[in-house]
Amino acid sequence: MRRPTFILFVLIALAGVARADPRLDERVYDPFVLNGSAELEVRHGSEFGGALGGAATTVIETEYGVNDHLKLAAVAAIHGEPGQSTRLAALGVEAIVYLGQIPAVGVDTGLYLEYAKGLNGEDDVLEGKLLLAKTKGRFQGLANLIVERPIGIPRGEGFASYGYALSATWRTLGHLRLGAEALGDFGDDHAFLGRQGAYVGPQVKWRGRPGKSPVEIEVDAGWLAAVGTARNEGSSQLKLAVEFEKRF
């Protein structure tokens, strides 16, 4: 089976019910895998204004590059909503597979798969993403195409949900990158495409190794404004992620 056909098969197989996108726990992934690299990532998202104002999610991931094509991770998500106590919402496992580069266009490709066990009233979720990256000089563009489905929903009561996560940044001074990102919906089986919501805003990324430390640090921050139907949820989102990486 050719790789593009395999990717399409996996994404279709994941179709089903899903929580609305974009989510506070979402980030834009690249498809790259580094053999022997261990990572600890903590990321946080907060919602401001609107019906979901005050909602917040914190995700903790531990990752390891098994080889040059496979990275595995364990994930925990902590969620809080207005008027409710903060709770552990999910524990899960994820894998990123680097598929290679499309020679004609110079786009690197990968596949992301995650299974999350829902806790405290949350659904179990299976999620798939097609990961794309284009790097040229100081520019890097990332695109994630997302399909998500909860597991265990009664037959006939579910519907597929589709989304995207996009990032475009340019390297400026040293290891500082500036640009923009967008997290949004393509819709679901009841309303695919058409008018959909999104969060769009500036993005700041920095990656470096303090002094002679063997640990590399990456910081990714953004302030995203709601557009379209997402304004019914809130006015904006604050995103912050910090990652520590060491190669063995």
Side-chain angles (χ1 to χ4, degrees):
M1 183 181 295
R2 295 181 179 179
R3 280 179 176 174
T5 304
F6 171 73
I7 293 169
L8 180 61
F9 173 80
V10 171
L11 293 179
I12 292 175
L14 289 172
V17 184
R19 294 167 294 176
D21 280 324
R23 300 178 306 278
L24 284 173
D25 63 348
E26 193 61 83
R27 59 163 287 194
V28 189
Y29 285 85
D30 66 57
F32 305 113
V33 176
L34 185 61
N35 184 20
S37 175
E39 303 171 21
L40 172 64
E41 179 185 22
V42 179
R43 64 179 185 269
H44 179 81
S46 296
E47 188 89 37
F48 296 89
L52 298 182
T57 297
T58 300
V59 177
I60 303 171
E61 291 191 20
T62 58
E63 309 171 359
Y64 184 73
V66 178
N67 52 45
D68 291 330
H69 290 272
L70 175 64
K71 178 164 62 176
L72 300 176
V75 186
I78 302 168
H79 184 65
E81 297 180 4
Q84 299 183 14
S85 60
T86 300
R87 67 190 189 281
L88 180 61
L91 294 174
V93 292
E94 70 179 38
I96 293 178
V97 180
Y98 177 69
L99 300 176
Q101 188 176 89
I102 304 173
V105 292
V107 173
D108 291 282
T109 64
L111 188 65
Y112 169 106
L113 295 172
E114 180 184 4
Y115 169 75
K117 174 64 178 177
L119 303 172
N120 296 310
E122 296 291 333
D123 294 323
D124 297 351
V125 175
L126 188 62
E127 182 178 22
K129 301 179 184 181
L130 176 61
L131 310 180
L132 305 172
K134 172 67 175 181
T135 304
K136 186 174 183 179
R138 294 175 176 268
F139 169 79
Q140 183 177 69
L142 304 176
N144 299 173
L145 304 179
I146 306 166
V147 178
E148 189 182 83
R149 78 173 275 193
I151 301 171
I153 301 299
R155 187 179 180 87
E157 295 183 9
F159 54 92
S161 179
Y162 310 92
Y164 61 87
L166 309 174
S167 171
T169 60
W170 286 261
R171 182 164 50 85
T172 56
L173 299 175
H175 299 287
L176 181 67
R177 303 187 69 89
L178 301 177
E181 62 181 330
L183 310 173
D185 295 325
F186 285 127
D188 53 48
D189 287 340
H190 293 173
F192 188 71
L193 298 179
R195 186 182 178 189
Q196 304 293 341
Y199 286 83
V200 182
Q203 182 180 26
V204 178
K205 301 176 73 174
W206 177 86
R207 188 180 185 91
R209 194 185 305 273
K212 297 182 179 180
S213 171
V215 177
E216 194 168 37
I217 300 175
E218 179 175 340
V219 179
D220 185 345
W223 187 282
L224 311 180
V227 297
T229 58
R231 288 179 291 186
N232 298 328
E233 302 171 353
S235 60
S236 62
Q237 289 183 356
L238 172 66
K239 299 278 191 176
L240 177 63
V242 180
E243 180 181 290
F244 303 91
E245 178 183 313
K246 182 179 180 181
R247 188 169 185 180
F248 293 92

